[in-house]
Amino acid sequence: MNTEELHNRRVKLAPSILSADFARLGEQVSQLEKAGADRSHVDVMDGHFVPNISFGAAIVQSIRPVTRLPLEVHLMISDPDFFLEQFVEAGGDSFLVHWEGNNNLYRTIRRIKELEKPVGVVINPATPALVLKEILGEVNLVLVMTINPGFGGQRVLEMTVPKIRQVREMIEQVNPNCELELDGGIDPTTAPIGVVAGADVLVVGSTIFDHADGVAAGMKHLQVTIDQAGTS
């Protein structure tokens, strides 16, 4: 992606509440909105699809009244179809489902569309970009995992950077309105790399929530590095 394209493109931030202080969850979600976040990323894990358990629809329902941010629900679970209605009723605004382990990805995507919600497909680090070929025209977003899903605080896997570029090229050819999102290890060092490779949206966690000066300062610091990537 050339410098002019970077300069003209606004990169969105989607903080993941998995890294929030759950004793202050509502407060921190409100801070994200005030600090300029574009959406809130909700990582749902069932302990089967990934080796961790996070939370369910009750958390989405609890934060829905305290923010106007869109709630992006990332379903890292074995049977996403079974839970879709629950998360819609709780206030989920869009849904991300994995290519891996889904018995019928097209059926899942169609079901989310029937619920009148935007849908994205997620691919893990070891999954090749070419699996997206048959489904790319059906989705609003592609999420490339830059770490192995399950836990926050990991470092970006360098092997994923060429794949980000490849997915960007596929999107431009097949579905230019589709967003490209990255998730995992995004910080002031890795964010510019992802942006230059073609990302439209960055999921961010500990780099914001663990910032010494608070959520707003973490957001501002990250945004500065992204803006610099577009002018360098």
Side-chain angles (χ1 to χ4, degrees):
M1 184 163 290
N2 62 45
T3 302
E4 183 178 355
E5 289 174 323
L6 285 171
H7 184 71
N8 294 330
R9 185 165 53 93
R10 178 181 174 274
V11 177
K12 299 176 182 179
L13 295 181
S16 169
I17 64 169
L18 185 66
S19 297
D21 178 351
F22 271 64
R24 303 167 53 219
L25 182 57
E27 174 190 344
Q28 290 196 327
V29 170
S30 296
Q31 289 174 353
L32 293 174
E33 183 175 345
K34 293 177 182 177
D38 295 280
R39 62 189 71 159
S40 183
H41 190 85
V42 182
D43 287 306
V44 179
M45 307 177 188
D46 64 357
H48 298 282
F49 185 76
V50 292
N52 194 10
I53 297 174
S54 59
F55 39 71
I59 291 294
V60 174
Q61 185 175 18
S62 70
I63 63 175
R64 180 69 285 170
V66 303
T67 183
R68 292 170 296 179
L69 288 176
L71 301 180
E72 174 181 81
V73 183
H74 182 180
L75 294 172
M76 289 175 273
I77 59 180
S78 297
D79 190 357
D81 299 53
F82 186 75
F83 296 95
L84 291 174
E85 285 83 358
Q86 292 183 31
F87 281 99
V88 169
E89 292 173 4
D93 293 295
S94 63
F95 293 88
L96 308 178
V97 292
H98 277 255
W99 180 88
E100 303 86 5
N102 193 299
N103 292 327
N104 192 325
L105 181 60
Y106 183 76
R107 181 183 62 196
T108 302
I109 289 171
R110 296 306 304 173
R111 180 59 185 141
I112 294 170
K113 287 186 172 184
E114 289 171 1
L115 293 167
E116 300 183 343
K117 299 295 181 181
V119 57
V121 63
V122 188
I123 54 174
N124 285 340
T127 302
L130 289 178
V131 302
L132 299 169
K133 182 178 178 181
E134 302 300 331
I135 209 74
L136 191 53
E138 300 291 329
V139 298
N140 305 101
L141 181 147
V142 171
L143 172 57
V144 174
M145 292 298 304
T146 46
I147 60 170
N148 289 307
F151 297 91
Q154 299 182 59
R155 296 176 64 86
V156 168
L157 296 170
E158 293 183 8
M159 60 177 278
T160 62
V161 177
K163 182 162 67 174
I164 297 165
R165 299 192 191 101
Q166 185 179 5
V167 173
R168 177 82 262 166
E169 291 175 2
M170 293 173 66
I171 287 174
E172 294 301 325
Q173 293 172 5
V174 178
N175 185 2
N177 293 323
C178 179
E179 291 183 313
L180 174 53
E181 186 170 36
L182 308 183
D183 184 359
I186 303 299
D187 59 29
T189 299
T190 58
I193 297 171
V195 170
V196 170
D200 300 301
V201 188
L202 301 176
V203 178
V204 290
S206 55
T207 191
I208 285 178
F209 288 102
D210 294 347
H211 195 280
D213 296 322
V215 168
M219 287 273 293
K220 183 176 181 180
H221 185 202
L222 187 63
Q223 190 64 61
V224 167
T225 64
I226 293 170
D227 292 342
Q228 289 173 345
T231 58
S232 59

